Amino acid sequence: MPENSNAEKETITGTVEKISFRNEENGYTVCRITSKSKEYEGVAVTLVGIMPMLKVGEIISAEGRWGFHRQYGKQFEVEYFEKQYPTDSAAILQYLSSKTVKGIGPATAAKIVAKFGENTFDVIENHPEQLEIINGISASKAKEIAESFRQQKEFRAIMLFCRDMLGPATAMKIHKRWGGRAIDIMRENPYMLCEEITGIGFEKADKVARSLGLEGNSPQRVRSGIIYVLTYNAAANGHTVLPKDRLISLSATLLSVDSESCEDALDVLTDKKKTVKRTVDGRECVCLEKYMKAENYIKDKLDMLAAVFRKSSESDYLSIIGQIEKESGIEYDKMQRRAIKYSQESGVLLLTGGPGTGKTTVIKGIISLLKHRNKSFILAAPTGRAAKRMTEATGEEAVTIHRMLEMVPNDEKGHYFARNSDNPLTEDTVIVDEASMIDTLLMEALLRSVKPGSSIIIIGDANQLPSIGAGNVFSELLHSERYNTVILKKIFRQAGESLIVTNAHAINSGEYPELYSKSGDFFFIEKENEEEIAKTVTDLCVRRLPKKFGEDAITGVQVITPSHRGAAGTEALNIMLQKALNPPRAGRREKKHRERIFREGDKVMQIKNDYDIEWQKNGEIGCGIFNGDIGLIISVLVEDEVLLIDFEGRLTRYDFTMLDELEHAYAITVHKSQGSEYPFVIIPIYNCTEKLLTRNLLYTAVTRAQKMVILVGRAKLVSAMVDNNRQTKRYTGLGELLSDGENVYEKNPDRENI
């Protein structure tokens, strides 16, 4: 990539002679032109940048700056470009002969230009039927030629329309989504940009709207602002609904309009069924329609699965459970036996418990029982790491929920699942782990795939942090007392020997953990200020843990911190840890993107769901890298503008325009660590915002460790976190739906203290 330059912006015009590289997904192109500009006339110039749908033979005018590439020398970095159509017959012939328009090669181009001359483009665009008089051009081929030409002209028009507001890559997305209707749609309602085009937020759409002359209090703007608040303020903070008064207040503040305008806009959105008014806990609330439908479906589908499931006779399986105990050398305790028994009696079974309480033992017992009874099953978890742990623990293959549902990318809405109500899973039992991570929309999709008559077993730890996405599904299912539930509380002897486990349970019970044990797997290092904490964390990763335990500091140790901010937050720690663990050196390539440097060997994390990223693993090709997935940069291909990243065996290519989706992962937040376990976990305890210094955040962080936990910070703050049992309120409608009506099963005897 060319180095940063302070050169003045220039414009270069020329004919495209060669395209050396092009990324079809985002339009990044490396090409060579023969310049027609006075200063560089006749000179071959290399252009690099976002130039979608560019063809050899086209004449372009490009704005940008000169830069210098260490390997390829002087290059022109394109910020904006326009295509210029030739006007004389000779230039038109050259243009069409280069196969710029689909269906036209050199021979056909010569015939067309010989017949129509300077009117060629008008004939192709407006009177394609006249092309049929040319030998070799059929009616269908004439239509194909006209369509190819129209698409290019449409894209050129969109580029011109968006020139001062949106970049070429965004223009390409708009063209893909709306085609020839794009400009009309943007003129009619520019806020459709943030509702339907990935990567365009409300602020960008608002900028476009203002440039088109829309007033700040225009109804379109206010309606779009309300949708934005429900999507990015509410859903991004875990809410599926918002109290109406809070929604009006947030929207009015965002848009700088009065509450009455927001009230009127909300009424229109409700009439158009884009939003729904609901009463939750006696309070008038508003939600996006998709969340109301999802919550209703979750409740109705679970009720149906529970009702239609054919309960097995105890004589069919009780003796088998005893046989499994003998074969495995395990004697199940009362609650474990109850869970295995319920798995044969319930269309819906919820299983919860903390670390060391035997959830894995129960899962293995259920699997053995299903095998003995020749019943089919499938195992799944929300993330790749969680699925991998499930596989290792059970000896059976587990997959991500997205893979189980056979996610298909590139749908108009971003993706869809091939497994659904019309094409359900075929297995008799679906077993899903780490359920606290499953948000409302994913739970809806999961349940749509379960066929009537099958059973679903939903497993998780109710005391961990809720899902990153909107909703609090697992917790609400447990608290509803609507479905058969088993709560595992007993800590078994081998687990009881672990200070990680006993301290985790102490924290969860509101008791202070044992911090000063000199043996075992749980340690505390007292440090007063953030700078000392950060230095100690770095020393542990770089020197002390690898020296004592021989673990690779990048793959074996994970720093999990409460916040992004502060000297001991992810942002500062990732800079320190990258410098210490993966410093620059000769032969190690890197790419600077904004304030980050991505270097070969770096540990990185995907920070948003991207359903379109293609990966390969053991010959299999799949799509989708998701929020929280951690990978290792294998190679920085500077000439191709690509990072090669290994996400635990899934090899992917990230072009340089996608780097906003990545962060370094030497240190991650507790929220991002959910569903994962690491051999060694280091937790900085420092004075960040009070809403993050909570009991369940500390509990979640501690339970991520397999071999050892090291807390670094202030003992008083550890105690304060245990004392702070505050849980951020999530506004949802599912809990109220589940509380409506009779319980599907009789009340469980083990429901207390969920």
Side-chain angles (χ1 to χ4, degrees):
M1 183 73 178
E3 296 176 348
N4 292 334
S5 172
N6 295 318
E8 293 291 326
K9 185 180 287 189
E10 296 185 34
T11 300
I12 290 182
T13 300
T15 303
V16 179
E17 304 291 347
K18 179 183 179 182
I19 294 177
S20 305
F21 172 80
R22 174 163 51 221
N23 184 311
E24 298 292 349
E25 288 298 315
N26 61 28
Y28 183 86
T29 303
V30 179
C31 69
R32 187 176 69 238
I33 67 168
T34 299
S35 174
K36 297 178 186 242
S37 302
K38 287 184 179 180
E39 188 176 350
Y40 308 104
E41 189 169 0
V43 176
V45 177
T46 298
L47 273 59
V48 296
I50 305 295
M51 294 176 281
M53 300 178 70
L54 196 63
K55 306 281 186 180
V56 170
E58 290 186 308
I59 301 170
I60 66 169
S61 178
E63 290 183 6
R65 292 178 171 83
W66 289 101
F68 187 83
H69 192 289
R70 288 188 292 269
Q71 183 174 353
Y72 298 105
K74 192 175 183 181
Q75 296 181 335
F76 192 76
E77 302 173 26
V78 177
E79 297 175 10
Y80 172 80
F81 82 104
E82 288 182 16
K83 296 182 181 182
Q84 298 181 353
Y85 290 110
T87 55
D88 63 84
S89 296
I92 292 172
L93 176 60
Q94 181 185 9
Y95 176 84
L96 293 178
S97 296
S98 63
K99 300 181 181 180
T100 302
V101 179
K102 187 176 181 181
I104 300 179
T108 304
K111 294 176 186 177
I112 294 174
V113 175
K115 178 65 179 174
F116 301 110
E118 293 179 0
N119 295 321
T120 293
F121 288 156
D122 179 62
V123 170
I124 291 174
E125 181 179 7
N126 300 310
H127 309 286
E129 68 280 358
Q130 294 184 23
L131 295 173
E132 296 174 37
I133 66 175
I134 304 296
N135 186 33
I137 299 182
S138 63
S140 61
K141 188 171 183 179
K143 289 181 180 178
E144 179 186 39
I145 291 170
E147 178 61 25
S148 174
F149 187 79
R150 283 195 197 103
Q151 284 187 5
Q152 292 183 38
K153 193 165 185 179
E154 287 169 0
F155 179 68
R156 180 173 181 265
I158 293 169
M159 284 273 294
L160 287 169
F161 184 83
C162 296
R163 174 176 179 175
D164 297 325
M165 303 169 288
L166 305 166
T170 303
M172 186 175 75
K173 289 182 182 179
I174 293 169
H175 181 258
K176 282 183 176 180
R177 179 69 180 91
W178 293 324
R181 301 179 299 124
I183 294 176
D184 289 339
I185 289 172
M186 286 187 284
R187 285 191 186 280
E188 182 180 347
N189 183 5
Y191 294 101
M192 292 290 287
L193 288 165
C194 62
E195 293 182 27
E196 295 198 15
I197 306 298
T198 304
I200 298 183
F202 180 81
E203 289 183 1
K204 279 189 179 180
D206 205 26
K207 180 181 177 182
V208 174
R210 294 301 180 94
S211 72
L212 295 174
L214 265 72
E215 297 294 332
N217 63 348
S218 70
Q220 290 175 337
R221 180 172 186 264
V222 181
R223 291 197 295 269
S224 183
I226 290 172
I227 295 295
Y228 176 82
V229 170
L230 286 172
T231 303
Y232 294 100
N233 184 291
N237 285 292
H239 310 303
T240 62
V241 305
L242 268 186
K244 180 184 172 184
D245 56 352
R246 185 172 179 183
L247 172 62
I248 295 296
S249 175
L250 288 169
S251 300
T253 301
L254 169 72
L255 302 167
S256 298
V257 299
D258 56 62
S259 297
E260 186 177 348
S261 297
C262 294
E263 292 269 10
D264 293 341
L266 182 58
D267 288 339
V268 174
L269 289 170
T270 303
D271 289 341
K272 291 184 175 183
K273 296 186 177 180
K274 289 194 172 183
T275 59
V276 180
K277 294 180 180 178
R278 307 169 66 180
T279 300
V280 178
D281 295 333
R283 193 172 181 183
E284 188 176 10
C285 294
V286 180
C287 69
L288 297 174
E289 187 183 33
K290 64 181 180 181
Y291 285 112
M292 184 197 71
K293 288 183 175 179
E295 290 180 337
N296 277 299
Y297 185 86
I298 290 169
K299 181 252 187 186
D300 291 343
K301 182 62 176 282
L302 288 172
D303 283 357
M304 184 272 285
L305 290 172
V308 304
F309 183 77
R310 294 183 63 182
K311 179 179 177 179
S312 300
S313 170
E314 289 188 357
S315 60
D316 292 338
Y317 60 81
L318 283 184
S319 61
I320 300 175
I321 294 176
Q323 182 181 340
I324 293 170
E325 286 181 306
K326 291 180 181 178
E327 291 172 352
S328 61
I330 295 174
E331 183 178 349
Y332 301 121
D333 86 323
K334 175 185 175 182
M335 300 312 298
Q336 291 177 321
R337 180 178 288 271
R338 178 176 291 168
I340 297 170
K341 179 174 177 286
Y342 277 176
S343 73
Q344 308 303 298
E345 300 175 355
S346 314
V348 179
L349 172 62
L350 308 177
L351 175 64
T352 187
T357 56
K359 291 195 300 293
T360 299
T361 299
V362 171
I363 297 171
K364 292 170 72 173
I366 291 171
I367 290 171
S368 295
L369 182 53
L370 291 170
K371 284 183 173 181
H372 275 81
R373 301 191 65 210
N374 295 316
K375 299 286 186 180
S376 59
F377 60 90
I378 188 168
L379 308 180
T383 67
R385 279 183 171 267
K388 182 180 179 182
R389 285 200 298 113
M390 200 177 184
T391 298
E392 293 169 349
T394 64
E396 301 288 337
E397 182 184 9
V399 296
T400 63
I401 295 174
H402 288 84
R403 182 179 174 190
M404 179 177 71
L405 301 185
E406 299 176 16
M407 185 197 73
V408 180
N410 296 326
D411 178 63
E412 284 190 354
K413 295 182 180 179
H415 71 284
Y416 67 92
F417 294 111
R419 291 292 182 178
N420 50 45
S421 302
D422 297 323
N423 180 32
L425 298 166
T426 59
E427 286 79 9
D428 299 312
T429 300
V430 178
I431 304 174
V432 184
D433 199 5
E434 294 290 354
S436 64
M437 299 178 66
I438 304 176
D439 62 40
T440 300
L441 297 181
L442 185 56
M443 182 61 80
E444 177 198 16
L446 169 62
L447 291 174
R448 286 190 183 279
S449 75
V450 182
K451 66 180 180 181
S454 294
S455 64
I456 183 166
I457 300 172
I458 305 173
I459 306 161
D461 185 343
N463 296 300
Q464 287 189 27
L465 296 171
S467 59
I468 294 174
N472 198 7
V473 179
F474 188 56
S475 178
E476 289 175 323
L477 292 178
L478 291 169
H479 281 86
S480 73
E481 303 191 9
R482 194 175 185 90
Y483 310 105
N484 257 351
T485 300
V486 174
I487 305 166
L488 302 175
K489 297 177 182 178
K490 180 179 177 181
I491 303 175
F492 291 90
R493 191 174 66 85
Q494 63 269 30
E497 295 171 355
S498 166
L499 202 54
I500 294 174
V501 172
T502 54
N503 272 342
H505 283 274
I507 292 166
N508 190 45
S509 301
E511 301 171 6
Y512 301 141
E514 170 57 55
L515 296 181
Y516 298 104
S517 172
K518 297 300 181 184
S519 61
D521 52 12
F522 194 106
F523 298 95
F524 174 74
I525 300 174
E526 180 86 44
K527 294 293 175 183
E528 280 298 316
N529 61 62
E530 292 180 37
E531 289 73 20
E532 289 180 342
I533 293 170
K535 288 179 182 178
T536 302
V537 167
T538 302
D539 188 46
L540 285 165
C541 292
V542 176
R543 186 180 62 84
R544 292 164 66 174
L545 286 175
K547 181 179 179 181
K548 185 171 180 62
F549 298 100
E551 287 285 342
D552 187 310
I554 292 181
T555 59
V557 177
Q558 183 61 59
V559 178
I560 301 177
T561 185
S563 174
H564 291 292
R565 307 298 182 190
T570 60
E571 293 175 2
L573 280 174
N574 273 316
I575 293 172
M576 289 182 66
L577 290 168
Q578 182 196 38
K579 183 178 180 180
L581 293 168
N582 191 33
R585 63 184 66 172
R588 183 166 289 181
R589 293 170 293 186
E590 61 185 46
K591 160 64 182 171
K592 184 175 183 181
H593 179 73
R594 303 189 193 281
E595 300 303 315
R596 294 189 178 95
I597 295 175
F598 293 104
R599 184 175 295 129
E600 290 175 343
D602 271 343
K603 188 176 180 181
V604 292
M605 172 181 282
Q606 175 76 9
I607 59 171
K608 60 176 283 190
N609 289 339
D610 192 323
Y611 300 95
D612 297 330
I613 299 177
E614 188 175 281
W615 50 260
Q616 296 185 24
K617 182 177 182 179
N618 300 326
E620 176 190 0
I621 297 177
C623 287
I625 300 294
F626 302 110
N627 192 351
D629 285 353
I630 291 179
L632 203 66
I633 297 177
I634 303 301
S635 186
V636 178
L637 304 178
V638 178
E639 60 278 8
D640 293 337
E641 305 284 334
V642 164
L643 300 185
L644 297 184
I645 305 178
D646 181 354
F647 286 94
E648 297 191 324
R650 294 173 295 163
L651 297 178
T652 62
R653 292 170 64 91
Y654 278 64
D655 66 68
F656 286 179
T657 63
M658 298 164 60
L659 299 186
D660 283 333
E661 299 183 14
L662 291 174
E663 289 180 353
H664 290 100
Y666 298 101
I668 62 176
T669 63
V670 180
H671 285 84
K672 295 287 189 182
S673 74
Q674 288 176 265
S676 300
E677 284 188 351
Y678 310 92
F680 295 83
V681 168
I682 304 171
I683 307 171
I685 304 294
Y686 67 103
N687 198 14
C688 57
T689 176
E690 184 181 353
K691 71 178 183 179
L692 292 175
L693 297 176
T694 63
R695 182 186 301 175
N696 70 333
L697 186 137
L698 179 60
Y699 171 80
T700 301
V702 167
T703 54
R704 299 307 88 207
Q706 296 169 319
K707 296 180 180 179
M708 181 176 292
V709 169
I710 304 175
L711 274 59
V712 182
R714 297 170 59 191
K716 288 182 179 179
L717 278 180
V718 176
S719 300
M721 292 179 79
V722 174
D723 292 338
N724 182 9
N725 199 26
R726 172 181 180 268
Q727 297 188 22
T728 303
K729 169 71 175 175
R730 288 200 168 194
Y731 294 102
T732 74
L734 180 61
E736 188 154 305
L737 289 172
L738 292 168
S739 67
D740 183 27
E742 294 296 321
N743 294 346
V744 179
Y745 293 105
E746 69 278 5
K747 189 171 182 179
N748 284 281
D750 56 317
R751 304 249 7 131
E752 70 276 6
N753 299 321
I754 294 179

